[in-house]
Amino acid sequence: MDFTYEKMAYFYDRTTSHIKCVILIQEFVNKQFGNQFKVNYWHDASKFFADTHFGYYYMTFKYLGEKVSKEEERECAEAWLQHYTNETHHPEYHTLSETIDTMNENEIFEMVCDWLAMSYEFGEKDWTEFWMNKMSNKFEWTEEQRLLISKLLVMAVENKKEIIELLDKNVKFPKWNCN
């Protein structure tokens, strides 16, 4: 895959927009829950680590439909592995040497806000679909974790219009022309 200034700028703009989106959602949701959580202003910082930078670059454009070589695919996999072994809001972090029940409330809060940010970015109508179809049975969640995830998602769905207005006003995801 070739490198261009335009692609690098898109990668940085898209990634920083995602991070900003997650932080704004965390702030909104946290306020709704009486500020019981800690907002992680370093969300996804590992995506900018030098050792995985190119893997995330390749992954960004792979998801936009560009072909990646086997070497670039390996770098994507290494970047993802590095990311979820360093970012505690990913359930995979907790399954490496422990069990998912070590994932605390704040990490679950950040995880759900990350899901909501992705749902917003990709214009998904149902903000609960990712949980229902991909995550609810992927890990052995405790009942307390399931209850918290449910509460967070219900609150987000109930306040979806306000959250979208907040994000529309403050976050601008770049567009990429794949042609």
Side-chain angles (χ1 to χ4, degrees):
M1 179 182 304
D2 61 326
F3 286 91
T4 65
Y5 170 78
E6 290 79 16
K7 281 185 172 181
M8 288 303 292
Y10 175 85
F11 164 75
Y12 280 110
D13 290 348
R14 187 259 153 211
T15 304
T16 56
S17 292
H18 168 73
I19 292 168
K20 183 176 184 180
C21 191
V22 174
I23 291 168
L24 288 170
I25 292 171
Q26 285 183 81
E27 291 174 338
F28 181 92
V29 171
N30 194 33
K31 186 176 179 183
Q32 301 302 309
F33 279 84
N35 295 316
Q36 75 181 58
F37 303 107
K38 182 180 178 200
V39 173
N40 182 2
Y41 291 98
W42 294 99
H43 176 83
D44 279 357
S46 69
K47 289 185 177 179
F48 296 110
F49 290 178
D51 57 342
T52 60
H53 182 80
F54 290 114
Y56 276 105
Y57 175 89
Y58 298 137
M59 199 178 309
T60 297
F61 291 97
K62 175 184 169 184
Y63 287 122
L64 289 169
E66 290 205 21
K67 292 187 188 281
V68 294
S69 69
K70 288 186 184 216
E71 177 63 23
E72 292 164 345
E73 186 69 48
R74 184 189 58 74
E75 288 192 46
C76 290
E78 287 177 3
W80 175 239
L81 176 66
Q82 185 275 341
H83 181 66
Y84 75 66
T85 58
N86 284 283
E87 300 281 353
T88 62
H89 69 277
H90 286 284
E92 293 87 350
Y93 173 92
H94 300 273
T95 62
L96 293 174
S97 62
E98 304 169 22
T99 61
I100 195 72
D101 63 355
T102 62
M103 192 172 191
N104 68 41
E105 287 186 351
N106 216 80
E107 294 160 342
I108 290 171
F109 157 73
E110 184 179 355
M111 172 188 69
V112 171
C113 292
D114 195 12
W115 296 347
L116 297 171
M118 295 300 290
S119 294
Y120 170 77
E121 179 180 358
F122 295 111
E124 295 172 1
K125 295 195 185 311
D126 183 351
W127 282 9
T128 65
E129 187 174 336
F130 184 72
W131 164 247
M132 297 303 292
N133 293 338
K134 301 258 192 301
M135 298 299 285
S136 64
N137 294 316
K138 185 174 180 179
F139 301 99
E140 292 189 35
W141 304 96
T142 67
E143 285 308 310
E144 293 82 15
Q145 290 170 325
R146 286 180 180 279
L147 180 61
L148 178 56
I149 292 167
S150 178
K151 285 180 181 178
L152 291 164
L153 289 172
V154 165
M155 187 287 312
V157 169
E158 289 174 352
N159 292 278
K160 185 176 179 180
K161 182 179 181 218
E162 192 173 351
I163 294 170
I164 288 174
E165 288 172 0
L166 170 72
L167 299 177
D168 284 350
K169 181 179 174 185
N170 293 289
V171 180
K172 185 81 170 166
F173 279 96
K175 301 291 182 212
W176 182 254
N177 183 359
C178 296
N179 296 330

